[in-house]
């Protein structure tokens, strides 16, 4: 029965004391939220830690939750802020890219140098992942953080351009431009797999 | 997942490839920790949202009710305390009867040397000052109430009518506090000695009231009037002076006459 409910209704049900609603909601976003964080920070261990913190934040913020926007927009916005906090704490160069009002710098070669080390380069990850997955991750890691972020919010979160713009504190046209560049570069990198 | 608008860039082939290979998941342990935290959070503080909701629900009505109550209270207080002085004609209409019905004990005590205006009254009127004092001695909530007797009280109680208000009769101001200060606490009110003290203090108040009332007679004060009588005597107009003195006595029966006029 709860599987038919919207994300927002499930969250409200959880706020009212229904733990099963939270479990259903959690399963819906389990993979997408984790992959968003993992692809963004490039370290599975860090991603797992951030992922847990994001959900704890959701739990704590339940009393103030208002279904003014889609739940996905809300939860991915929390995840993005947590990611920025992480970058800030560790002085990551990616922070400059994710911070609001940054210009689009679409020169991939210039940005690769400041990207976080991709998690798939660890021996453990290399052993487990397939070759295609490696290629995809590499291509994603090669994207500028802002473009990668927009692509992941669209693919993993299913957010529209407007929702991504809200979640990233940027304009709709900027978001659209970033997504277009991201798709073009990924297609170029993964041409042989398509 | 919402449908993307037409102008939204998309690449279905790329999306399918990504989703086929995007299989990373959090660990089971992480899942368990998060779900346990969610359950624990509900178990820990189920009452908090309810308390917040109650307060939020009643906050506005309570604020409105408090504001309304304060407004009504202030309006009632303002209504009961007219800002201006009581109208002079009313005071003059009331004061003669008050003076007539409540002769001062002080004047009556002085009647041994001068002609007492109405010697039969003291026996029947003597309880009045004590009644008036008892009214003043009633324990009231604040000194402000004691300081400001209502005009209706002045009219209804002749004995109190002679007690001047500080505002309207400034000449009585020095004497009035003696009366008010002599008003005892509720416990002292039952004491006989203090009751006697109150009776003693009553003539002073009445004298003060009488002098204050005399001040307004014919637009001149009693002392000025007496000065005029003195002047008449000095000029040798004894008949006119006597006539003026009799008028003065009629107008100010309670006014303590100087020795020179008591012969």
């Amino acid at each position: 029965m709860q599987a038919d409910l919207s994300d927002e209704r499930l969250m409200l049900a959880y706020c009212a004391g229904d733990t099963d609603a939270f479990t259903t909601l959690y399963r819906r976003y389990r993979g997408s939220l984790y992959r968003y964080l993992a692809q963004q920070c490039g370290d599975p261990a860090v991603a797992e830690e951030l992922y847990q913190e994001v959900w704890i934040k959701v739990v704590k913020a339940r009393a103030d939750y208002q279904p003014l926007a889609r739940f996905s927009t809300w939860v991915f916005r929390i995840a993005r802020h947590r990611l920025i906090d992480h970058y800030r704490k560790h002085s990551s160069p990616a922070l400059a890219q994710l911070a609001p009002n940054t210009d689009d710098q679409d020169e991939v070669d210039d940005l690769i140098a400041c990207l976080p080390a991709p998690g798939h380069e660890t021996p453990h990850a290399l052993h487990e992942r397939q070759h295609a997955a490696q290629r995809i991750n590499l291509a994603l890691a090669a994207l500028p953080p802002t473009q990668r972020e927009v692509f992941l919010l669209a693919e993993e979160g299913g957010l529209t351009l407007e929702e991504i713009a809200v979640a990233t504190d940027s304009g709709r046209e900027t978001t659209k431009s970033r997504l277009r560049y991201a798709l073009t570069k990924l297609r170029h990198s993964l041409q042989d797999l398509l | 997942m919402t449908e993307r608008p037409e102008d939204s860039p998309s690449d279905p082939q790329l999306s399918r490839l990504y989703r086929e290979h995007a299989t990373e998941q959090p660990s089971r342990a992480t899942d368990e920790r998060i779900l346990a935290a969610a359950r624990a959070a509900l178990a820990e503080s189920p009452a908090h949202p309810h308390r917040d909701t109650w307060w939020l629900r009643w906050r506005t009505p309570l604020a409105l009710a408090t504001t309304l109550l304060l407004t009504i209270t202030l309006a009632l207080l303002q209504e009961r305390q007219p800002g201006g002085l009581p109208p002079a004609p009313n005071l003059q209409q009331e004061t003669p009867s008050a003076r007539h019905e409540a002769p001062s004990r002080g004047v009556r005590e002085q009647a041994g040397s001068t002609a007492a205006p109405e010697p039969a009254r003291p026996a029947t009127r003597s309880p009045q000052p004590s009644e008036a004092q008892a009214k003043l001695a009633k324990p009231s909530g604040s000194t402000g109430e004691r300081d400001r007797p209502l005009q209706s009280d002045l009219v209804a109680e002749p004995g109190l009518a002679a007690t001047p208000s500080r505002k309207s009769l400034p000449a009585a101001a020095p004497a009035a506090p003696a009366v008010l200060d002599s008003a005892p606490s509720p416990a002292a009110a039952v004491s006989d000695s203090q009751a006697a003290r109150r009776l003693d203090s009553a003539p002073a108040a009445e004298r003060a009231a009488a002098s204050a009332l005399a001040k307004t007679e014919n637009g001149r004060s009693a002392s000025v009037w007496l000065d005029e009588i003195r002047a008449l005597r000095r000029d040798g107009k004894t008949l006119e002076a006597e006539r003026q003195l009799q008028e003065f006595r009629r107008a100010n029966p309670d006014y303590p006459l100087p020795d020179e006029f008591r012969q």
Side-chain angles (χ1 to χ4, degrees), chain A residues 75-152:
Chain A
V75 75
F76 274 96
R77 190 180 172 88
I78 292 175
R80 181 177 186 271
H81 288 165
R82 187 64 198 90
L83 200 59
I84 290 174
D85 288 345
H86 169 74
Y87 287 149
R88 197 168 280 149
K89 196 180 291 182
H90 295 86
S91 303
S92 170
L95 174 63
Q97 298 294 315
L98 288 178
N101 300 323
T102 55
D103 295 324
D104 264 331
Q105 295 186 7
D106 302 313
E107 297 298 327
V108 178
D109 293 340
D110 294 343
L111 290 168
I112 284 176
C114 66
L115 288 174
H120 56 263
E121 288 182 357
T122 61
H124 177 69
L126 287 171
H127 178 71
E128 286 190 349
R129 289 175 190 158
Q130 298 175 356
H131 178 66
Q134 286 180 24
R135 291 281 309 280
I136 292 169
N137 289 340
L138 276 171
L140 277 173
L143 288 177
T146 52
Q147 294 175 16
R148 185 172 60 235
E149 177 181 55
V150 170
F151 175 80
L152 289 171

Side-chain angles (χ1 to χ4, degrees), chain B residues 138-159:
Chain B
K138 275 183 187 174
S140 60
S142 68
T143 55
E145 286 182 21
R146 283 188 295 165
D147 288 348
R148 288 191 294 274
L150 295 175
Q151 179 68 19
S152 59
D153 293 340
L154 289 174
V155 174
E157 297 291 329

Side-chain angles (χ1 to χ4, degrees), chain A residues 26 30 48 129 155-156 187, chain B residues 11 15 18 27 30-31:
Chain A
Y26 177 78
R30 179 174 175 263
E48 197 134 337
R129 289 175 190 158
E155 289 296 329
E156 297 289 359
R187 171 166 277 277
Chain B
D11 190 332
S15 293
Y18 174 78
S27 66
T30 302
D31 291 346

Side-chain angles (χ1 to χ4, degrees), chain B residues 41-99:
Chain B
L42 282 184
E44 276 174 11
S45 58
H48 280 298
H50 178 69
R51 195 171 57 200
D52 291 348
T53 306
W54 178 90
W55 170 241
L56 288 174
R57 193 167 54 231
W58 287 101
R59 185 171 54 182
T60 305
L62 280 175
L64 285 174
T66 308
T67 306
L68 194 63
L69 188 66
L70 279 173
T71 307
I72 290 172
T73 307
L74 287 174
L76 287 175
L77 284 174
Q78 185 69 22
E79 213 170 78
R80 293 183 65 183
Q81 293 179 345
L85 294 171
N90 288 345
L91 187 63
Q92 293 213 347
Q93 282 170 6
E94 296 297 328
T95 48
S97 63
R99 272 183 276 131

